[in-house]
Amino acid sequence: MAEIRVNGVSLHYEARGEGPGVVLVHGSWSDSDSWARVMPGLAEFTAVVAYDRRGHSRSEDLLTQGSVYEDAADLAGLIQGLGLAPAFVYGDSYGALVTLRLAAARPDLMRGIAVHEPPGTGILLADPDLRPIGTAFADRIAAVQELLEQAESTAAAELYVDSLAFGPGAWEQLPAPIRHTYIRNAPTYLDELRDPDALDLDLAGLARFTDPALLTQSDGSAPMFGEVLDLIDLALPKAERHLYEGAGHAPHLSQPEEWVRVVLPRALV
């Protein structure tokens, strides 16, 4: 366990293994502990780093309105500060949006990316044909935001898990430490929702990312994620797709061995 200071904020991170650099970017509500089941498999062949994004768990919270641009800049600072460039970067959910932001802005820092189910409702709302799908998902997000605005962190976390991330009843099945992390980090999700650019993407910028990109989704997840990935697929010059069966919104948690089997070969290229 260690800390690095980038862009005026102290970030907690864990580094394991030796070899080509790999960085794991967690999604909303979560932290670097979510990668515990897959880090050993990566660390056998790579120098893998997982970190808590600013404001999450052990990383510093500046108590100011954040932005996806700050998250992308933090990721860039982490890669450069730890001497990992060019790194392979894997982003999960909102972490996928951060990863894609950096891929568009600083492709020189990466030699490849993988993203799982980015919640990019912004690019759906911009497309008249896809707007109804984006609106329906945004409405469910709004219900979670309303609870967060009322400081109902536990209820908001449960609604997010059951209605947006994993499906009905999933909250009660999560291990207690994960539920605790979600409740503790609940304000960070409200911070993301208050950022007007958080769920949008620079598709034109992604066209400049010419290194390999793996886009993944799970067969039981919301169809919205597939529509978002379709648009990202069209933008990226070297994209490939993978479908997890029965893995849900977090295959690194539900199917860690399969996740390593899929991701490790791409991380070694």
Side-chain angles (χ1 to χ4, degrees), residues 235-261:
L236 287 166
K238 291 184 180 178
E240 62 170 319
R241 303 286 285 270
H242 178 79
L243 181 69
Y244 290 99
E245 296 183 1
H249 191 50
H252 58 289
L253 292 174
S254 61
Q255 297 182 4
E257 293 182 358
E258 174 69 6
W259 186 94
V260 171
R261 185 191 69 79

Side-chain angles (χ1 to χ4, degrees), residues 114-152:
V115 296
H116 183 74
E117 298 186 346
T121 53
I123 59 176
L124 297 183
L125 295 173
D127 187 317
D129 294 331
L130 299 175
R131 189 172 298 141
I133 298 174
T135 299
F137 201 79
D139 288 344
R140 286 191 280 166
I141 292 175
V144 175
Q145 182 171 359
E146 182 177 356
L147 290 171
L148 290 172
E149 297 283 5
Q150 298 168 2
E152 297 286 349

Side-chain angles (χ1 to χ4, degrees), residues 101-252:
R101 281 281 180 188
L102 187 59
R106 292 293 308 275
D108 58 299
L109 295 179
M110 301 170 163
R111 55 186 167 81
I113 62 172
V115 296
H116 183 74
E117 298 186 346
T121 53
I123 59 176
L124 297 183
L125 295 173
D127 187 317
D129 294 331
L130 299 175
R131 189 172 298 141
I133 298 174
T135 299
F137 201 79
D139 288 344
R140 286 191 280 166
I141 292 175
V144 175
Q145 182 171 359
E146 182 177 356
L147 290 171
L148 290 172
E149 297 283 5
Q150 298 168 2
E152 297 286 349
S153 295
T154 301
E158 181 174 0
L159 182 61
Y160 169 82
V161 168
D162 287 354
S163 69
L164 289 167
F166 302 114
W171 176 255
E172 293 299 328
Q173 298 176 24
L174 288 179
I178 295 180
R179 293 201 302 268
H180 175 73
T181 297
Y182 276 40
I183 294 169
R184 176 181 57 192
N185 288 333
T188 64
Y189 188 61
L190 180 59
D191 188 69
E192 291 167 5
L193 296 180
R194 289 173 172 170
D195 173 12
D197 295 328
L199 303 182
D200 204 356
L201 278 171
D202 178 11
L203 292 177
L206 285 178
R208 297 190 294 270
F209 186 78
T210 58
D211 288 297
L214 174 66
L215 313 179
T216 70
Q217 66 189 107
S218 297
D219 57 0
S221 294
M224 184 276 295
F225 293 116
E227 299 289 355
V228 171
L229 287 175
D230 286 345
L231 295 175
I232 295 171
D233 194 349
L234 291 173
L236 287 166
K238 291 184 180 178
E240 62 170 319
R241 303 286 285 270
H242 178 79
L243 181 69
Y244 290 99
E245 296 183 1
H249 191 50
H252 58 289

Side-chain angles (χ1 to χ4, degrees), residues 46-134:
T46 72
V48 57
V49 171
Y51 71 105
D52 295 350
R53 292 192 290 110
R54 65 166 62 204
H56 291 72
S57 297
R58 293 147 296 199
S59 286
E60 187 177 3
D61 187 350
L62 298 182
L63 301 178
T64 56
Q65 174 61 46
S67 74
V68 68
Y69 302 104
E70 288 178 340
D71 273 313
D74 290 348
L75 176 57
L78 181 85
I79 292 172
Q80 293 174 302
L82 296 180
L84 299 173
F88 176 86
V89 181
Y90 182 100
D92 173 63
S93 191
Y94 187 82
L97 294 177
V98 175
T99 300
L100 291 163
R101 281 281 180 188
L102 187 59
R106 292 293 308 275
D108 58 299
L109 295 179
M110 301 170 163
R111 55 186 167 81
I113 62 172
V115 296
H116 183 74
E117 298 186 346
T121 53
I123 59 176
L124 297 183
L125 295 173
D127 187 317
D129 294 331
L130 299 175
R131 189 172 298 141
I133 298 174

